[in-house]
């Protein structure tokens, strides 16, 4: 069995509602996740309730497309 080559260590903090901060490797500041547009509407967030931020899905799509 081969040894583990890399283990990602992250820390998540729920701020309020869908807003979360994620501390990721090689980043000096936390990344903010949340909802926006159609995603916020899908989850029933009233317009103006939260400041819009990229969703975790946006990051997954960006990572897979890269």
């Amino acid at each position: 069995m081969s040894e583990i080559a890399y283990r990602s260590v992250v820390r998540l903090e729920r701020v309020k509602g869908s807003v979360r901060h994620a501390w990721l490797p090689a980043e000096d500041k936390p990344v903010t996740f949340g909802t926006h547009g159609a995603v916020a509407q899908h989850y029933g967030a009233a317009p103006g309730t939260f400041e819009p931020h990229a969703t975790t899905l946006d990051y997954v799509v960006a990572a897979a497309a890269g």
Side-chain angles (χ1 to χ4, degrees):
M1 179 181 254
S2 61
E3 293 188 30
I4 295 171
Y6 175 74
R7 180 177 302 195
S8 180
V9 178
V10 300
R11 181 169 67 95
L12 294 172
E13 173 186 283
R14 183 168 298 276
V15 177
K16 183 177 180 183
S18 63
V19 179
R20 296 167 315 289
H21 290 156
W23 281 262
L24 305 174
E27 298 297 330
D28 294 331
K29 298 178 184 177
V31 174
T32 302
F33 294 107
T35 59
H36 60 86
V39 177
Q41 183 179 9
H42 171 78
Y43 286 108
T49 304
F50 298 106
E51 182 178 334
H53 292 284
T55 67
T56 52
L57 178 60
D58 295 324
Y59 276 77
V60 169
V61 169

